[in-house]
Amino acid sequence: MELHDVWFVLIAVLWIGYFFLEGFDFGVGVLTKLLARNRPEKRVLINTIGPVWDGNEVWLLTAGGATFAAFPEWYATLFSGFYLPLLIILVCLIVRGVAFEYRAKRPEENWQRNWETAIFWTSLIPAFLWGVAFANIARGVQINADLEYVGGVTDLLNPYALLGGLVTLSLFTFHGAVFTALKTVGEIRERARQLAGRVGLLTAVLALLFLLWTQIDNGDGKSLVALVVAVAALAVALVANQAGREGWSFALSGLTIVAAVAMLFLTLFPNVMPSTLNPEWSLTVTNSSSSPYTLKIMTWLAVVATPVVLLYQGWTYWVFRKRIGTQHLADTAH
């Protein structure tokens, strides 16, 4: 296996890790409107992800940086062609981070309500747009002979991509509901489990349609295996959630995300951005990669740095592993 193939796999792993971790972040943010009935319950939801949300976004930064360094042509075409949706995602992530930090800085109800509304929308919009973006990458876009995107923003809003956006939004919401049930106690835990069951059924229908569409258009034997794993994991996650086994349900909802995103990358390889104008104009791991020397240096850096990051993030989740409820909120906190 060539180094550019290795880095394609590593970038796929980084995106899978990002969607696994940030997926429940986005889901919890959406649930601040769908699940929480009062301000203390919103505080509980926000506190479940408070210690980890910023660490989860490190996976996005690393995925973007690795793409820039390992596949500069891919990075350039992707970020120029998808400029507007990626800019909207970036603005949402910035506002979302500010909302987490500033929400409790003042006690006024309007102040807190406005930041909570910001958390909801800046979780919902990226959860939808990431699905739109990756569906377009898997489907292919208008790339010319100069390896440049020549389509418009409206070309990205095709039925397949919109379905992909609905899949990621519903799947992340289900993932977040299961995570909430895993991390809370009392009434909010029970309502989260009930909501996860309803959202999960919708997710199953949407995901099955999207993955079957993907398999029919671009799939092979490997992607079919990933499809089966994703659908089976989601079905068993729903059963585990119904049985009150939140740990298993969360692990299996995460496996659904892993298998579904892996399927998209399996349908891509050896392309990184297929061209719908001419297959010969597609960006591949070969024509869009950096020099072998650059990839070699990156590989050694990854070997050294990756275990440190994984150990630190794992330790963070271990420290903040306990369940919380409204009774654990400090009375003096805003």
Side-chain angles (χ1 to χ4, degrees), residues 23 45 57-58 64-65 96 98 106-107 170 201-202 231 248 257 267 276 288:
L45 289 176
E57 290 187 356
V58 170
R96 187 168 178 264
V98 173
R106 290 170 57 179
S170 60
L201 290 175
L202 174 62
V231 173
W248 280 104
I257 295 174
T267 60
T276 57
S288 63

PDB file of all heavy atoms in Angstrom, residues 23 45 57-58 64-65 96 98 106-107 170 201-202 231 248 257 267 276 288:
ATOM      1  N   GLY A  23     -21.005  13.972  16.726  1.00  0.00           N
ATOM      2  CA  GLY A  23     -22.380  13.604  16.433  1.00  0.00           C
ATOM      3  C   GLY A  23     -23.286  13.717  17.647  1.00  0.00           C
ATOM      4  O   GLY A  23     -24.371  14.306  17.577  1.00  0.00           O
ATOM      5  N   LEU A  45     -28.391  19.150  30.119  1.00  0.00           N
ATOM      6  CA  LEU A  45     -27.986  18.711  28.787  1.00  0.00           C
ATOM      7  C   LEU A  45     -26.655  19.333  28.387  1.00  0.00           C
ATOM      8  O   LEU A  45     -25.761  18.641  27.882  1.00  0.00           O
ATOM      9  CB  LEU A  45     -29.064  19.071  27.761  1.00  0.00           C
ATOM     10  CG  LEU A  45     -30.368  18.275  27.826  1.00  0.00           C
ATOM     11  CD1 LEU A  45     -31.368  18.819  26.818  1.00  0.00           C
ATOM     12  CD2 LEU A  45     -30.117  16.798  27.558  1.00  0.00           C
ATOM     13  N   GLU A  57     -13.960  18.587  18.799  1.00  0.00           N
ATOM     14  CA  GLU A  57     -13.728  19.357  17.581  1.00  0.00           C
ATOM     15  C   GLU A  57     -12.278  19.295  17.120  1.00  0.00           C
ATOM     16  O   GLU A  57     -11.973  19.677  15.983  1.00  0.00           O
ATOM     17  CB  GLU A  57     -14.158  20.810  17.792  1.00  0.00           C
ATOM     18  CG  GLU A  57     -15.671  20.964  17.903  1.00  0.00           C
ATOM     19  CD  GLU A  57     -16.123  22.410  17.935  1.00  0.00           C
ATOM     20  OE1 GLU A  57     -15.244  23.305  17.947  1.00  0.00           O
ATOM     21  OE2 GLU A  57     -17.347  22.649  17.939  1.00  0.00           O
ATOM     22  N   VAL A  58     -11.384  18.807  17.971  1.00  0.00           N
ATOM     23  CA  VAL A  58      -9.997  18.619  17.554  1.00  0.00           C
ATOM     24  C   VAL A  58      -9.926  17.658  16.368  1.00  0.00           C
ATOM     25  O   VAL A  58      -9.075  17.797  15.483  1.00  0.00           O
ATOM     26  CB  VAL A  58      -9.147  18.099  18.733  1.00  0.00           C
ATOM     27  CG1 VAL A  58      -7.767  17.661  18.268  1.00  0.00           C
ATOM     28  CG2 VAL A  58      -9.016  19.177  19.800  1.00  0.00           C
ATOM     29  N   GLY A  64      -9.125  18.334   8.716  1.00  0.00           N
ATOM     30  CA  GLY A  64      -8.901  19.400   7.749  1.00  0.00           C
ATOM     31  C   GLY A  64      -7.426  19.638   7.494  1.00  0.00           C
ATOM     32  O   GLY A  64      -7.000  19.788   6.332  1.00  0.00           O
ATOM     33  N   GLY A  65      -6.631  19.664   8.560  1.00  0.00           N
ATOM     34  CA  GLY A  65      -5.193  19.866   8.404  1.00  0.00           C
ATOM     35  C   GLY A  65      -4.523  18.728   7.660  1.00  0.00           C
ATOM     36  O   GLY A  65      -3.638  18.955   6.815  1.00  0.00           O
ATOM     37  N   ARG A  96     -21.353  28.595  18.272  1.00  0.00           N
ATOM     38  CA  ARG A  96     -21.696  27.533  19.231  1.00  0.00           C
ATOM     39  C   ARG A  96     -20.719  27.503  20.402  1.00  0.00           C
ATOM     40  O   ARG A  96     -21.123  27.389  21.571  1.00  0.00           O
ATOM     41  CB  ARG A  96     -21.704  26.197  18.496  1.00  0.00           C
ATOM     42  CG  ARG A  96     -22.199  25.001  19.287  1.00  0.00           C
ATOM     43  CD  ARG A  96     -22.407  23.841  18.314  1.00  0.00           C
ATOM     44  NE  ARG A  96     -22.836  22.642  19.010  1.00  0.00           N
ATOM     45  CZ  ARG A  96     -22.002  21.668  19.394  1.00  0.00           C
ATOM     46  NH1 ARG A  96     -20.710  21.766  19.135  1.00  0.00           N
ATOM     47  NH2 ARG A  96     -22.463  20.609  20.026  1.00  0.00           N
ATOM     48  N   VAL A  98     -18.863  30.004  21.475  1.00  0.00           N
ATOM     49  CA  VAL A  98     -19.098  31.211  22.270  1.00  0.00           C
ATOM     50  C   VAL A  98     -20.335  31.040  23.141  1.00  0.00           C
ATOM     51  O   VAL A  98     -20.369  31.440  24.308  1.00  0.00           O
ATOM     52  CB  VAL A  98     -19.242  32.435  21.349  1.00  0.00           C
ATOM     53  CG1 VAL A  98     -19.652  33.669  22.157  1.00  0.00           C
ATOM     54  CG2 VAL A  98     -17.940  32.707  20.608  1.00  0.00           C
ATOM     55  N   ARG A 106     -24.106  35.764  32.564  1.00  0.00           N
ATOM     56  CA  ARG A 106     -25.035  36.736  33.147  1.00  0.00           C
ATOM     57  C   ARG A 106     -26.315  36.014  33.540  1.00  0.00           C
ATOM     58  O   ARG A 106     -26.704  35.032  32.911  1.00  0.00           O
ATOM     59  CB  ARG A 106     -25.342  37.851  32.141  1.00  0.00           C
ATOM     60  CG  ARG A 106     -24.165  38.781  31.890  1.00  0.00           C
ATOM     61  CD  ARG A 106     -24.413  39.726  30.715  1.00  0.00           C
ATOM     62  NE  ARG A 106     -25.621  40.519  30.891  1.00  0.00           N
ATOM     63  CZ  ARG A 106     -26.036  41.432  30.003  1.00  0.00           C
ATOM     64  NH1 ARG A 106     -25.331  41.640  28.897  1.00  0.00           N
ATOM     65  NH2 ARG A 106     -27.147  42.113  30.223  1.00  0.00           N
ATOM     66  N   PRO A 107     -27.010  36.482  34.600  1.00  0.00           N
ATOM     67  CA  PRO A 107     -28.180  35.776  35.110  1.00  0.00           C
ATOM     68  C   PRO A 107     -29.495  36.112  34.407  1.00  0.00           C
ATOM     69  O   PRO A 107     -30.499  35.447  34.647  1.00  0.00           O
ATOM     70  CB  PRO A 107     -28.240  36.208  36.575  1.00  0.00           C
ATOM     71  CG  PRO A 107     -27.669  37.594  36.566  1.00  0.00           C
ATOM     72  CD  PRO A 107     -26.593  37.589  35.505  1.00  0.00           C
ATOM     73  N   SER A 170     -30.839  13.377  11.635  1.00  0.00           N
ATOM     74  CA  SER A 170     -31.626  12.446  12.452  1.00  0.00           C
ATOM     75  C   SER A 170     -30.723  11.465  13.204  1.00  0.00           C
ATOM     76  O   SER A 170     -30.977  11.146  14.366  1.00  0.00           O
ATOM     77  CB  SER A 170     -32.624  11.686  11.577  1.00  0.00           C
ATOM     78  OG  SER A 170     -31.962  10.940  10.568  1.00  0.00           O
ATOM     79  N   LEU A 201     -36.464   5.348  14.883  1.00  0.00           N
ATOM     80  CA  LEU A 201     -37.272   4.737  13.824  1.00  0.00           C
ATOM     81  C   LEU A 201     -37.227   5.579  12.559  1.00  0.00           C
ATOM     82  O   LEU A 201     -37.095   5.050  11.441  1.00  0.00           O
ATOM     83  CB  LEU A 201     -38.717   4.568  14.303  1.00  0.00           C
ATOM     84  CG  LEU A 201     -38.941   3.511  15.393  1.00  0.00           C
ATOM     85  CD1 LEU A 201     -40.394   3.538  15.855  1.00  0.00           C
ATOM     86  CD2 LEU A 201     -38.578   2.118  14.873  1.00  0.00           C
ATOM     87  N   LEU A 202     -37.347   6.893  12.698  1.00  0.00           N
ATOM     88  CA  LEU A 202     -37.236   7.782  11.546  1.00  0.00           C
ATOM     89  C   LEU A 202     -35.846   7.670  10.925  1.00  0.00           C
ATOM     90  O   LEU A 202     -35.705   7.613   9.687  1.00  0.00           O
ATOM     91  CB  LEU A 202     -37.516   9.220  11.975  1.00  0.00           C
ATOM     92  CG  LEU A 202     -37.311  10.302  10.905  1.00  0.00           C
ATOM     93  CD1 LEU A 202     -38.257  10.090   9.738  1.00  0.00           C
ATOM     94  CD2 LEU A 202     -37.477  11.699  11.507  1.00  0.00           C
ATOM     95  N   VAL A 231     -26.898  -0.862   9.138  1.00  0.00           N
ATOM     96  CA  VAL A 231     -28.328  -1.102   9.341  1.00  0.00           C
ATOM     97  C   VAL A 231     -28.559  -2.032  10.528  1.00  0.00           C
ATOM     98  O   VAL A 231     -29.442  -1.787  11.364  1.00  0.00           O
ATOM     99  CB  VAL A 231     -28.949  -1.695   8.059  1.00  0.00           C
ATOM    100  CG1 VAL A 231     -30.390  -2.113   8.306  1.00  0.00           C
ATOM    101  CG2 VAL A 231     -28.886  -0.677   6.921  1.00  0.00           C
ATOM    102  N   TRP A 248     -25.010  -0.062  25.700  1.00  0.00           N
ATOM    103  CA  TRP A 248     -25.002  -0.814  24.445  1.00  0.00           C
ATOM    104  C   TRP A 248     -25.619  -0.005  23.319  1.00  0.00           C
ATOM    105  O   TRP A 248     -25.139  -0.011  22.181  1.00  0.00           O
ATOM    106  CB  TRP A 248     -25.753  -2.135  24.615  1.00  0.00           C
ATOM    107  CG  TRP A 248     -24.947  -3.198  25.278  1.00  0.00           C
ATOM    108  CD1 TRP A 248     -25.053  -3.637  26.561  1.00  0.00           C
ATOM    109  CD2 TRP A 248     -23.874  -3.951  24.697  1.00  0.00           C
ATOM    110  NE1 TRP A 248     -24.126  -4.613  26.824  1.00  0.00           N
ATOM    111  CE2 TRP A 248     -23.393  -4.830  25.694  1.00  0.00           C
ATOM    112  CE3 TRP A 248     -23.275  -3.963  23.439  1.00  0.00           C
ATOM    113  CZ2 TRP A 248     -22.334  -5.712  25.454  1.00  0.00           C
ATOM    114  CZ3 TRP A 248     -22.226  -4.847  23.200  1.00  0.00           C
ATOM    115  CH2 TRP A 248     -21.768  -5.703  24.204  1.00  0.00           C
ATOM    116  N   ILE A 257     -22.776   5.084  12.878  1.00  0.00           N
ATOM    117  CA  ILE A 257     -22.082   6.223  12.271  1.00  0.00           C
ATOM    118  C   ILE A 257     -20.772   5.773  11.640  1.00  0.00           C
ATOM    119  O   ILE A 257     -20.449   6.149  10.503  1.00  0.00           O
ATOM    120  CB  ILE A 257     -21.836   7.317  13.323  1.00  0.00           C
ATOM    121  CG1 ILE A 257     -23.171   7.894  13.802  1.00  0.00           C
ATOM    122  CG2 ILE A 257     -20.938   8.417  12.771  1.00  0.00           C
ATOM    123  CD1 ILE A 257     -23.052   8.882  14.951  1.00  0.00           C
ATOM    124  N   THR A 267     -16.923   3.702  -1.132  1.00  0.00           N
ATOM    125  CA  THR A 267     -17.443   3.948  -2.477  1.00  0.00           C
ATOM    126  C   THR A 267     -16.590   4.967  -3.220  1.00  0.00           C
ATOM    127  O   THR A 267     -16.599   5.002  -4.462  1.00  0.00           O
ATOM    128  CB  THR A 267     -18.901   4.440  -2.426  1.00  0.00           C
ATOM    129  OG1 THR A 267     -18.968   5.656  -1.688  1.00  0.00           O
ATOM    130  CG2 THR A 267     -19.804   3.403  -1.786  1.00  0.00           C
ATOM    131  N   THR A 276     -18.489  14.463 -12.231  1.00  0.00           N
ATOM    132  CA  THR A 276     -19.682  14.041 -12.964  1.00  0.00           C
ATOM    133  C   THR A 276     -19.621  14.464 -14.427  1.00  0.00           C
ATOM    134  O   THR A 276     -20.456  14.049 -15.229  1.00  0.00           O
ATOM    135  CB  THR A 276     -20.945  14.641 -12.313  1.00  0.00           C
ATOM    136  OG1 THR A 276     -20.827  16.076 -12.284  1.00  0.00           O
ATOM    137  CG2 THR A 276     -21.126  14.124 -10.897  1.00  0.00           C
ATOM    138  N   SER A 288      -3.990  13.960  -6.589  1.00  0.00           N
ATOM    139  CA  SER A 288      -4.253  15.069  -5.659  1.00  0.00           C
ATOM    140  C   SER A 288      -3.360  15.036  -4.419  1.00  0.00           C
ATOM    141  O   SER A 288      -3.509  15.875  -3.532  1.00  0.00           O
ATOM    142  CB  SER A 288      -5.716  15.038  -5.209  1.00  0.00           C
ATOM    143  OG  SER A 288      -6.001  13.852  -4.479  1.00  0.00           O
TER     144      SER A 288
END
